[in-house]
Amino acid sequence: MKTQLLIGTFVLSLVLPSVASAQARMPHKDAGAIGGDVGVFFPKEDALTTGPVFEGFYEYYFSSRDSIRVGAGWLNPKFDSESSDSIRMIRVAVDFVHNWEGGAVHPFVGAGLGTYFLQPKDNGENFGESETKFGGTVFGGAEFFASKTVSIKGEARYHVVSKVDGFNPSGLALTIGLKSYF
């Protein structure tokens, strides 16, 4: 009995520190994160030129490798480089994300579904009817940990949005951002 107790105590003394260090490492089960991205949107539609992208999100990790991200984004591609006409696109979505640990670098991939609110703009003023469309995204990128709870991330995301009167608002967004875990 003493031998079993001694062996059990020895095994626990080896295992418990590794379990505790795994919980200190980010991400881990039940961890959360908030973040924001800025970047450039490259529309598929030939009538549009590149425009800015701003996104914010909350992410919950239901395992150390899988999470769900709830976020909102603002995209504003112009109709041509010489005019101030644009189409404002606001995205509200839920994404599923899977990551792989690579030490200080965590590559990730994901996909999501959301609602896109589209509003044509003429010289900054609303022009025409706004549309609400269903859409989805596929994305991938990498996080580079600057500390235990802060990472810098780069992401490529392709937006697939339902057409509006023959107009295709889909396209590629390239972003860089900051993410803070808690």
Side-chain angles (χ1 to χ4, degrees):
M1 179 71 172
K2 278 186 168 185
T3 305
Q4 291 173 338
L5 188 57
L6 185 60
I7 290 172
T9 303
F10 178 71
V11 168
L12 281 176
S13 68
L14 293 175
V15 171
L16 285 178
S18 66
V19 170
S21 69
Q23 286 298 312
R25 182 177 48 226
M26 290 295 183
H28 61 75
K29 184 178 190 296
D30 294 326
I34 58 171
D37 298 322
V38 297
V40 178
F41 179 69
F42 300 93
K44 180 178 181 178
E45 182 72 41
D46 289 337
L48 293 173
T49 62
T50 60
V53 175
F54 299 98
E55 294 185 356
F57 61 87
Y58 166 76
E59 197 163 343
Y60 172 76
Y61 286 83
F62 48 90
S63 79
S64 62
R65 299 291 154 248
D66 298 313
S67 62
I68 194 154
R69 185 189 294 175
V70 178
W74 179 85
L75 303 90
N76 198 38
K78 291 189 173 189
F79 279 103
D80 63 49
S81 58
E82 295 176 13
S83 98
S84 60
D85 295 349
S86 64
I87 184 159
R88 179 182 61 209
M89 300 181 355
I90 296 174
R91 172 185 178 260
V92 178
V94 175
D95 300 322
F96 174 77
V97 186
H98 180 79
N99 75 73
W100 294 270
E101 183 174 353
V105 178
H106 288 215
F108 62 88
V109 295
L113 297 173
T115 302
Y116 288 76
F117 302 94
L118 308 164
Q119 176 65 58
K121 307 289 261 174
D122 182 15
N123 292 319
E125 299 294 323
N126 291 346
F127 177 76
E129 295 294 318
S130 63
E131 298 272 348
T132 303
K133 293 293 181 178
F134 180 73
T137 61
V138 291
F139 57 92
E143 288 185 53
F144 305 92
F145 280 81
S147 72
K148 284 187 174 186
T149 59
V150 175
S151 70
I152 298 167
K153 69 183 208 56
E155 184 172 301
R157 175 184 294 268
Y158 193 81
H159 297 266
V160 179
V161 185
S162 302
K163 289 185 178 182
V164 178
D165 297 326
F167 175 77
N168 187 353
S170 301
L172 175 68
L174 300 176
T175 61
I176 188 164
L178 194 62
K179 186 173 178 180
S180 178
Y181 289 89
F182 52 91

